[in-house]
Amino acid sequence: MQTTALKVKSEEYAGELIQLVSFNLENEEYGINVLMVREIIRMLNITRVPNTPHYVEGVINLRGKVIPIISLRRKFDLPEADYDKRTRIMVMEVVGEMMGFIVDEVSEVIRISEKEIQPPPPVVSSGIDQECMAGVINQAERLLVLLDLERMFTADERRMFSSVA
Amino acid sequence: MPIDCEDQELLEGFLAETTELLEKLDDDLVSLEKSPEDAELMNRIFRSIHTVKGASSFLGFDLLVKVTHKTEDVLNRLRKGELVVTPEIMDVILEAVDLVKTLVADIKAGEIVERDIESTIAKLVPFLSMNATEATVLSAAPKAEESAPAASAQPAAAAPAAAQSAVPQVAPAAAKLKEPVPQKAAPAAKGEELADNSTVRVDVKRLDDLMNQVGELVLERNRMIQLHSDYQSGLDPNGFSDDFGKLSKRLNFVTSELQMQVLKMRMLPVEKVFKKFPRIVRNLARDLGKEVDLQIFGEETELDRSVVDEIGDPLIHLIRNALDHGLETPDERVAAGKPRMGTVMLSAAHEGNQIVISIKDNGRGINPDKIAQKAMDKGLITEEQLATMGSREILELIFLPGFSTKEQTTDLSGRGVGMDVVRTNIRKLNGIIEIKNELGHGSEFILKLPLTLAIIQSLLVEVEREVYSIPLASVIETMRVDQKEFHMIGGQEVLKLRDSVLPLLRLGRVFSCADAGNDRSTCYVVIVGVAEKRVGLVVTRLLGQQEVAIKSLGKFLANLPGIGGSTIMGDGRVALIVDPMGLIGGGEGTGVRKSAAA
């Protein structure tokens, strides 16, 4: 499944500009469609939740709503790192649920043309599941990996979430 | 055939009213059988059927009209004393009322299905010795006299209805449709409710009170903003602490009032569930050939709608059991020196923050030996396990799925599902079940349920520096113990508590908390009960009691074993709510072994 927003637009007119939020994770730059992101917040107190998959960091109170927080580092099997003042939680709506994702740093919102998005290379070096890579953007001085978090959770994982976890 | 009704509002009004009337009708009919002389009751029944008939003919539901018309005719003869109330007549009338319910349900579903109404009508006809024309005349007479006062009581209601249709005689019919409105005004305060649960009727007074409280809240907020700006501009920094203290006290007061008001709006009298029981008991008693007197107390007790929805099924099972297993046949009772008629007492009452519902019968009681024997025969427990069980544990065997004392499965009982349903539903509600049993004199099932599921009283505990909240409804007691007092039996830590042996669960281990390096040997044990089970949860410290609002953890983290949800603490942090049912239920298999080991 392509990111819906991407797909619809590309059908209408190829080369449409899309906006991405770019963020850093272990010195790599990633991008996520801005329409997916609800808000970006600083680190808060996270309450650990027992008996969850290792990448579930816990839950936070987002203005009265309790939402799960996922560590993208752990999800992608990257080395652990301490949180610092640049650490951010990106709150997104993934498959109808609000969720927060911890990233090292959020840098900017960039505009790119859809034509610039190339299919992901067949071999992925870091631990990132090939699954949730929607493509790569190769600009002059930067390489950006476009993520589709909807695809981050495999059907199995979703089922696990909702049954035993 | 889809329903063709121009005025949707009128149709909805009809459905709401009819459903309400029919619900009440069942109850009234059963009471009528007990006291056939009650003219007031008789008239009320007659009026209900009559209203349904009038309204359905106005809206053109012919099937309904036919059935209600014949039922009305029979009732009319009863009313005039031309017929005497007998169980046979009541059976037929109840059947007719059931048919009416089915027809109304069809209308509600938006589709009129052709149903066989002739067979029911044919059963009604023998009770009408007069011919049809006379019957029509008879029923026409009260129609006229009733519509008169109704029309005067509700002239405003009648007027627009008349305007809709140029035919003048429609006006009294419309008035009849509205007729129960003045009657209903009083019970509406009690939260009369329709079968569908998507809408709530709220007493206007309660709504006004709520508005008042919200007004207060706005006032306090303004005061807070004022206080803050005063403080920032450096006005009287010394008085700040004082003023702020007062403010938070008032805020506390207003919010707890507000909370009560909102909670009250969600409350329904337990009567909504109780009122279907007389009918069930009557039918069951007739089927079983037993004589039963059902006594209901405290039906005005109010509880949360979510709880009301869930307790219906368990109560039906418990009542069924009381009648089927508990009470003896009249002959057996006489032989045992008891009155022929058995009594089943159903009562509801508030007790602190809980509601206590009890089903008590004066039958033969539960024989523990028989229970134990059956459980062994069915292979649910072994002989060694049995040897270690106390009488309480043996009684609890009846909750095991698959347990039944019946040799044969009947349509009433014997599948061994009933008590399991009871236990599952009560667990879902975080409730507790207690059994009191006196062999030869009857048994009593006591259900203790929390008042609401949205806001709960909870006990905050600390487990290795993490804060968890345990629903107070399931907490039975807490105690401070030295870890040296723990015993190990068959790989299970237990605590000797008075005369029983309590299995222990270390919350830190269950939730795999990081060891906070606390070497103190004393700790606290929170004894929780779920349905009939008791377990001690080992925690590091008790932090206190707090009222907390339950927040869902969302779909992704739903169904975590032992975690029932979360709540937000005063400092904005999230604390998880322990789900004792999940904790104890998770060790289902070990549960029996545990009690066996004990």
Side-chain angles (χ1 to χ4, degrees):
Chain A
M1 183 190 82
Q2 269 287 359
T3 306
T4 336
L6 287 181
K7 197 177 177 185
V8 171
K9 281 179 183 163
S10 64
E11 271 167 9
E12 282 169 6
Y13 21 68
E16 165 81 359
L17 279 182
I18 58 164
Q19 296 189 47
L20 301 178
V21 179
S22 76
F23 61 89
N24 282 336
L25 212 56
E26 191 68 16
N27 302 323
E28 288 288 341
E29 201 171 14
Y30 298 86
I32 276 188
N33 193 324
V34 79
L35 296 173
M36 297 276 296
V37 184
R38 284 299 185 82
E39 59 187 292
I40 295 164
I41 50 175
R42 289 168 191 278
M43 280 304 283
L44 304 165
N45 274 322
I46 298 181
T47 305
R48 196 184 64 89
V49 181
N51 307 324
T52 46
H54 70 285
Y55 51 82
V56 176
E57 193 80 15
V59 289
I60 59 160
N61 163 20
L62 184 70
R63 292 186 303 275
K65 205 169 154 27
V66 176
I67 63 168
I69 299 297
I70 283 163
S71 157
L72 272 188
R73 273 182 173 269
R74 285 207 210 135
K75 178 66 191 164
F76 294 155
D77 290 328
L78 299 172
E80 296 275 330
D82 287 338
Y83 303 135
D84 55 30
K85 63 181 198 304
R86 285 174 309 172
T87 309
R88 292 289 183 277
I89 298 175
M90 298 174 75
V91 180
M92 289 180 241
E93 196 173 320
V94 183
V95 277
E97 283 280 298
M98 291 277 270
M99 287 185 136
F101 295 86
I102 302 175
V103 299
D104 289 359
E105 184 184 12
V106 174
S107 24
E108 58 182 330
V109 175
I110 53 169
R111 281 164 194 276
I112 54 148
S113 150
E114 281 203 342
K115 278 184 288 190
E116 286 179 76
I117 302 172
Q118 298 165 4
V123 184
V124 184
S125 52
S126 64
I128 299 171
D129 309 330
Q130 183 115 35
E131 269 292 295
C132 62
M133 280 183 55
V136 288
I137 296 141
N138 195 352
Q139 281 181 336
E141 73 287 8
R142 72 207 295 192
L143 185 73
L144 211 101
V145 181
L146 186 60
L147 290 183
D148 178 1
L149 292 176
E150 296 255 337
R151 284 194 278 172
M152 192 174 89
F153 302 104
T154 59
D156 272 356
E157 270 177 316
R158 274 182 226 160
R159 213 173 307 124
M160 191 179 64
F161 265 134
S162 58
S163 60
V164 206
Chain B
M1 175 181 101
I3 290 168
D4 175 36
C5 187
E6 286 173 25
D7 196 333
Q8 196 58 33
E9 225 169 274
L10 210 57
L11 181 65
E12 273 165 24
F14 163 74
L15 286 173
E17 226 144 69
T18 311
T19 320
E20 210 163 288
L21 286 173
L22 290 175
E23 269 181 26
K24 190 90 187 62
L25 202 57
D26 256 355
D27 203 19
D28 284 348
L29 283 170
V30 176
S31 331
L32 181 71
E33 196 175 3
K34 282 187 198 146
S35 48
E37 302 307 318
D38 191 341
E40 173 52 36
L41 188 63
M42 184 70 232
N43 282 329
R44 193 162 67 218
I45 294 171
F46 187 80
R47 266 201 307 272
S48 306
I49 281 283
H50 185 79
T51 310
V52 175
K53 187 187 85 166
S56 30
S57 80
F58 172 58
L59 290 166
F61 299 122
D62 294 338
L63 292 176
L64 259 181
V65 177
K66 272 186 206 159
V67 182
T68 45
H69 182 78
K70 288 287 173 217
T71 317
E72 185 187 16
D73 288 350
V74 175
L75 284 170
N76 196 30
R77 298 206 61 197
L78 285 170
R79 191 169 72 143
K80 294 174 118 191
E82 290 172 32
L83 280 174
V84 186
V85 177
T86 62
E88 288 70 35
I89 294 185
M90 291 316 290
D91 278 343
V92 176
I93 292 178
L94 285 170
E95 186 185 326
V97 171
D98 280 345
L99 183 63
V100 171
K101 279 186 195 160
T102 324
L103 291 172
V104 171
D106 284 347
I107 296 171
K108 200 176 246 173
E111 197 77 13
I112 295 178
V113 188
E114 278 301 324
R115 288 193 189 270
D116 173 32
I117 59 165
E118 294 307 328
S119 64
T120 309
I121 290 181
K123 284 184 197 163
L124 286 166
V125 169
F127 297 109
L128 297 165
S129 54
M130 298 173 235
N131 63 45
T133 40
E134 266 182 292
T136 323
V137 174
L138 278 172
S139 64
K143 196 187 283 179
E145 72 189 40
E146 271 179 44
S147 60
S152 58
Q154 287 279 329
Q164 264 170 18
S165 147
V167 191
Q169 70 258 34
V170 177
K176 249 182 282 152
L177 195 68
K178 300 281 180 189
E179 183 191 4
V181 173
Q183 294 177 343
K184 226 170 37 205
K190 287 198 285 170
E192 276 281 345
E193 224 252 345
L194 314 177
D196 95 82
N197 271 335
S198 52
T199 52
V200 195
R201 284 197 195 187
V202 179
D203 188 355
V204 176
K205 197 180 163 303
R206 279 188 180 176
L207 207 58
D208 287 347
D209 285 350
L210 188 72
M211 199 53 227
N212 263 338
Q213 300 294 344
V214 171
E216 285 288 305
L217 194 66
V218 170
L219 217 79
E220 297 302 334
R221 182 202 57 190
N222 294 346
R223 227 173 285 208
M224 187 150 88
I225 293 171
Q226 181 66 44
L227 196 63
H228 183 240
S229 63
D230 282 359
Y231 179 69
Q232 272 195 327
S233 59
L235 271 169
D236 185 25
N238 300 324
F240 177 77
S241 150
D242 231 28
D243 286 349
F244 192 72
K246 278 184 207 153
L247 178 69
S248 51
K249 246 180 229 156
R250 280 197 303 269
L251 259 181
N252 180 23
F253 181 73
V254 174
T255 42
S256 38
E257 280 287 301
L258 203 59
Q259 185 187 327
M260 277 312 292
Q261 294 289 352
V262 177
L263 210 63
K264 270 192 193 151
M265 283 194 201
R266 288 180 52 96
M267 295 292 224
L268 288 178
V270 73
E271 180 190 16
K272 183 175 141 50
V273 183
F274 280 11
K275 70 181 164 198
K276 58 184 179 199
F277 292 136
R279 169 89 194 267
I280 293 174
V281 168
R282 174 195 181 270
N283 286 7
L284 264 177
R286 266 174 78 76
D287 288 351
L288 292 165
K290 291 179 181 175
E291 290 174 25
V292 184
D293 177 23
L294 177 71
Q295 298 175 355
I296 296 182
F297 300 97
E299 66 257 58
E300 71 288 343
T301 312
E302 289 194 328
L303 63 166
D304 196 271
R305 41 201 306 115
S306 49
V307 181
V308 169
D309 291 344
E310 295 283 346
I311 55 166
D313 283 351
L315 286 180
I316 287 179
H317 285 288
L318 288 173
I319 286 183
R320 216 180 256 177
N321 278 355
L323 257 73
D324 196 11
H325 301 277
L327 295 180
E328 310 91 331
T329 59
D331 296 340
E332 281 170 3
R333 290 185 63 90
V334 171
K338 294 183 189 178
R340 271 182 78 81
M341 189 176 270
T343 315
V344 174
M345 231 158 61
L346 182 61
S347 67
H350 281 295
E351 206 174 83
N353 254 319
Q354 285 184 320
I355 172 157
V356 179
I357 298 178
S358 130
I359 297 106
K360 187 176 182 179
D361 65 72
N362 65 352
R364 55 171 81 95
I366 307 170
N367 185 346
D369 298 340
K370 215 166 139 193
I371 301 288
Q373 191 56 45
K374 277 286 165 202
M376 281 214 305
D377 291 352
K378 297 212 177 245
L380 296 169
I381 51 163
T382 64
E383 206 161 328
E384 301 84 69
Q385 284 178 338
L386 183 65
T388 57
M389 282 185 181
S391 60
R392 217 180 78 103
E393 277 117 353
I394 292 178
L395 281 185
E396 281 161 11
L397 288 175
I398 61 173
F399 292 107
L400 288 181
F403 181 86
S404 171
T405 52
K406 282 274 156 128
E407 303 300 332
Q408 267 176 344
T409 304
T410 64
D411 54 342
L412 271 186
S413 60
R415 278 177 212 85
V417 196
M419 292 311 269
D420 190 38
V421 169
V422 173
R423 179 170 69 162
T424 318
N425 281 30
I426 300 302
R427 276 185 174 189
K428 227 192 282 172
L429 296 171
N430 285 324
I432 299 178
I433 309 177
E434 276 170 25
I435 311 175
K436 281 188 187 161
N437 181 42
E438 203 177 332
L439 198 57
H441 292 93
S443 49
E444 179 176 11
F445 285 82
I446 302 166
L447 311 181
K448 293 189 178 174
L449 304 166
L451 273 187
T452 174
L453 302 178
I455 295 176
I456 56 165
Q457 285 287 341
S458 77
L459 177 72
L460 295 180
V461 298
E462 189 186 299
V463 183
E464 309 288 355
R465 300 231 173 102
E466 290 178 22
V467 178
Y468 288 90
S469 146
I470 304 176
L472 208 60
S474 34
V475 173
I476 292 166
E477 60 175 301
T478 58
M479 52 198 307
R480 184 164 179 256
V481 279
D482 198 300
Q483 298 205 13
K484 281 178 223 140
E485 288 176 42
F486 293 174
H487 295 272
M488 204 64 162
I489 301 182
Q492 167 72 51
E493 270 186 305
V494 296
L495 179 68
K496 262 186 67 159
L497 177 71
R498 294 181 282 274
D499 55 349
S500 69
V501 179
L502 190 76
L504 294 176
L505 270 180
R506 280 178 189 269
L507 269 195
R509 216 166 285 165
V510 177
F511 293 152
S512 41
C513 304
D515 196 348
N518 191 340
D519 292 330
R520 278 190 310 167
S521 73
T522 53
C523 62
Y524 289 85
V525 173
V526 181
I527 299 162
V528 293
V530 174
E532 78 295 352
K533 284 204 180 107
R534 306 285 178 268
V535 167
L537 303 177
V538 182
V539 301
T540 320
R541 273 200 311 151
L542 301 181
L543 297 177
Q545 182 181 332
Q546 203 176 66
E547 199 163 47
V548 300
I550 300 180
K551 303 264 177 183
S552 140
L553 280 173
K555 264 194 306 225
F556 276 157
L557 297 179
N559 301 324
L560 289 176
I563 301 290
S566 62
T567 186
I568 295 167
M569 313 284 298
D571 61 359
R573 295 184 65 146
V574 181
L576 299 176
I577 299 174
V578 176
D579 168 27
M581 172 189 132
L583 278 183
I584 302 177
E588 192 67 85
T590 56
V592 173
R593 207 184 60 217
K594 261 180 239 160
S595 43

